Amino acid sequence: MSKGSRSPPFDWEGLLDGLARFYHTGDWRRPYLRDHAEDPFQVLIGTILSQRTRDEATDVASARLFARFPDPVALADAPPKEVLALIRPVGFYRTKTRAIRACARALVEEFGGKVPRSLEELRRLPWVGAKTANCVLVFGFGIPAVPVDTHVHRIANRLGVVSTRTPEETEQRLREVLDPRFWIPLNPLLVQHGQNLCRPRGPKCDICPVRALCATGRALSEGRPPPRADDRPRPRRAARGARREARPGPPRRAARRARRSAGPPRSRTRARPARHRRAGSR
Ligand code: SF4
């Protein structure tokens, strides 16, 4: 087993098998790239389009874009206004229009219109960061790599296999502790888990298929605090209401009513300030 792993070592095989079996059936959300992992160029551009965007919007925009501009040469020469109109469903579509055209031009000018197959070369492309480059390797070429987005970062920390503050640190740590044979299936399974049960707020640990392997799931079921403070169960409305009722003293409205009924009867007309009285008496 790789250096840095705990004793007993984390059961990666059990985790990935458990998630694969669970999401194999049922009407679960599926990660965008899982259904679009064919053409490296489309993976590259689709990943840029998908940033801070719902999968449904990425789907619509990329289908429209690739139907009109299917390769780097076509996109490099595409009129910006036309590209902008095609990708309008995604967030930040103006910035992304500049990004994908610049990326296509760089592919044509520096790489002969082909998407490079190494992390270093991919990172030289404009607007391409670590996550996008790793996605192209995994989904476009089937080359083992560790794409870490917010889902992978969050779930790896909840599982307790890393203790990191940023996706970049998580990628680095996962490369150290995770056997490369698990690199390719890791991202799509954790992203799907993050979109469905292990969501950023209120993970559904009670129905999670890998709860027994998860530090957060085990801690919550044993009544201990989870490793990340953010994952403490949030009070539900009913619980908040119960706490309010348990507060000492009557609720404010009841207290007001009690004061009124105890005091002398109030006049129906309020005493006006002296300034207004003077104005009204003229
Ligand atoms: S047990 Fe909870 S925190 Fe752990 S992976 Fe499952 S849903 Fe996420």
Side-chain angles (χ1 to χ4, degrees), residues 99-231:
I100 61 178
R101 289 183 69 252
C103 198
R105 274 199 305 276
L107 287 175
V108 172
E109 289 164 11
E110 294 177 39
F111 297 100
K114 296 236 180 303
V115 177
R117 297 172 63 98
S118 78
L119 194 63
E120 295 69 31
E121 288 174 312
L122 284 163
R123 291 295 305 272
R124 275 174 33 208
L125 293 168
W127 303 85
V128 173
K131 187 198 92 175
T132 302
N134 280 309
C135 280
V136 173
L137 293 179
V138 167
F139 296 102
F141 293 115
I143 296 172
V146 186
V148 174
D149 64 359
T150 55
H151 294 299
V152 176
H153 172 61
R154 180 180 68 255
I155 298 173
N157 276 279
R158 282 179 174 171
L159 289 166
V161 292
V162 300
S163 176
T164 51
R165 297 174 67 86
T166 64
E168 292 73 27
E169 276 180 51
T170 303
E171 180 194 334
Q172 185 57 40
R173 190 75 189 113
L174 285 176
R175 282 176 175 273
E176 292 166 8
V177 299
L178 182 59
D179 191 313
R181 72 195 160 105
F182 298 128
W183 287 12
I184 287 184
L186 182 80
N187 176 284
L189 286 169
L190 290 197
V191 171
Q192 189 167 29
H193 196 37
Q195 290 175 335
N196 290 282
L197 298 190
C198 197
R199 297 171 72 100
R201 305 181 116 211
K204 299 196 181 330
C205 303
D206 46 338
I207 55 167
C208 175
V210 293
R211 182 174 185 166
L213 297 172
C214 174
T216 301
R218 283 198 308 270
L220 292 178
S221 60
E222 292 164 11
R224 289 184 286 112
R228 288 178 6 134
D230 290 359
D231 296 327

